[in-house]
Amino acid sequence: MFTGIIEEIGSIEQIQKGVQSAVLSIQCKKVLEGTKIGDSIAVNGVCLTVTSMHVNGYTADVMAETLERSSLAGLKKGSRVNLERAMLAGGRFGGHMVSGHIDGTGRIVEIWKDDNAVWYTVQTSSRLLRYIVEKGSIAIDGISLTVAKVSHTDFTVSLIPHTGEETTLLKHRSGEIVNLET
């Protein structure tokens, strides 16, 4: 389980693509603290298992099912990713309960600034929208956010400056695909 509070922004060091799978090498520092092979780290909200570790990063296998259901297939060398270690039972619990099992993807259709908030409207399938409720929680690329509005085609969230600075969401542009966990 995760909280949706991003600990670090890492970067894709290398991608080894198989026929229907991939191995990601992720450069990072903070999430390596106390991590061992077999632990779970959410990458843009997708729970992946650490398969090897090196001084400045780790690797994780990605199976075909995960590539099909998430935005991970679109990552490239140098892509920046949100990282969060699995929640400790005795730790603080901010954000909301996030499983790291992506329900699907959405497309950012509008971004606008309102004083100190940045608003995002994300279009997704009706299959996912039925689980998204106004004032409920949603994880976008692993980031715990509160839903401000829901329509029959999309939903809207906003970011405070701190969340924008500590995650990759402000780097996204209209038209880009994001991972969603309802």
Side-chain angles (χ1 to χ4, degrees), residues 21-66:
S21 63
V23 176
L24 300 179
S25 294
I26 300 169
Q27 191 172 26
C28 57
K29 286 189 180 200
K30 185 173 184 176
V31 298
L32 295 178
E33 296 170 10
T35 296
K36 60 188 181 318
I37 294 173
D39 285 352
S40 296
I41 297 177
V43 178
N44 281 354
V46 179
C47 177
L48 297 178
T49 301
V50 174
T51 55
S52 71
M53 295 176 63
H54 54 279
V55 177
N56 292 318
Y58 70 98
T59 62
D61 294 331
V62 185
M63 65 177 96
E65 172 78 4
T66 304

Side-chain angles (χ1 to χ4, degrees), residues 113-133:
K113 194 167 170 64
D114 176 23
D115 196 23
N116 71 340
V118 178
W119 292 84
Y120 288 80
T121 298
V122 179
Q123 187 176 58
T124 193
S125 69
S126 59
R127 182 182 66 80
L128 290 183
L129 281 167
R130 67 183 169 161
Y131 298 112
I132 301 171
V133 296

Side-chain angles (χ1 to χ4, degrees), residues 157-169:
V157 297
S158 69
L159 272 77
I160 61 171
H162 177 78
T163 303
E165 292 166 10
E166 298 296 320
T167 68
T168 61
L169 199 51

Side-chain angles (χ1 to χ4, degrees), residues 3-179:
T3 65
I5 305 298
I6 304 306
E7 295 182 272
E8 177 179 8
I9 296 174
S11 65
I12 301 299
E13 193 171 38
Q14 183 179 352
I15 301 174
Q16 295 173 324
K17 293 191 177 184
V19 175
Q20 295 181 6
S21 63
V23 176
L24 300 179
S25 294
I26 300 169
Q27 191 172 26
C28 57
K29 286 189 180 200
K30 185 173 184 176
V31 298
L32 295 178
E33 296 170 10
T35 296
K36 60 188 181 318
I37 294 173
D39 285 352
S40 296
I41 297 177
V43 178
N44 281 354
V46 179
C47 177
L48 297 178
T49 301
V50 174
T51 55
S52 71
M53 295 176 63
H54 54 279
V55 177
N56 292 318
Y58 70 98
T59 62
D61 294 331
V62 185
M63 65 177 96
E65 172 78 4
T66 304
L67 291 172
E68 289 172 20
R69 287 188 179 259
S70 72
S71 66
L72 295 186
L75 293 175
K76 300 176 271 201
K77 183 176 179 173
S79 292
R80 294 170 55 81
V81 291
N82 295 315
L83 301 174
E84 180 190 359
R85 291 172 288 188
M87 187 170 68
L88 293 173
R92 291 192 100 136
F93 180 41
H96 72 278
M97 296 288 271
V98 177
S99 71
H101 301 164
I102 301 304
D103 295 309
T105 59
R107 179 180 305 278
I108 298 171
V109 292
E110 188 176 8
I111 304 169
W112 73 97
K113 194 167 170 64
D114 176 23
D115 196 23
N116 71 340
V118 178
W119 292 84
Y120 288 80
T121 298
V122 179
Q123 187 176 58
T124 193
S125 69
S126 59
R127 182 182 66 80
L128 290 183
L129 281 167
R130 67 183 169 161
Y131 298 112
I132 301 171
V133 296
E134 192 170 305
K135 303 303 179 215
S137 297
I138 190 157
I140 299 177
D141 278 354
I143 306 161
S144 175
L145 297 166
T146 302
V147 176
K149 183 176 127 184
V150 181
S151 79
H152 65 284
T153 59
D154 56 40
F155 66 92
T156 303
V157 297
S158 69
L159 272 77
I160 61 171
H162 177 78
T163 303
E165 292 166 10
E166 298 296 320
T167 68
T168 61
L169 199 51
L170 287 179
K171 302 286 187 234
H172 283 296
R173 299 291 170 245
S174 189
E176 291 185 351
I177 302 297
V178 291
N179 293 320

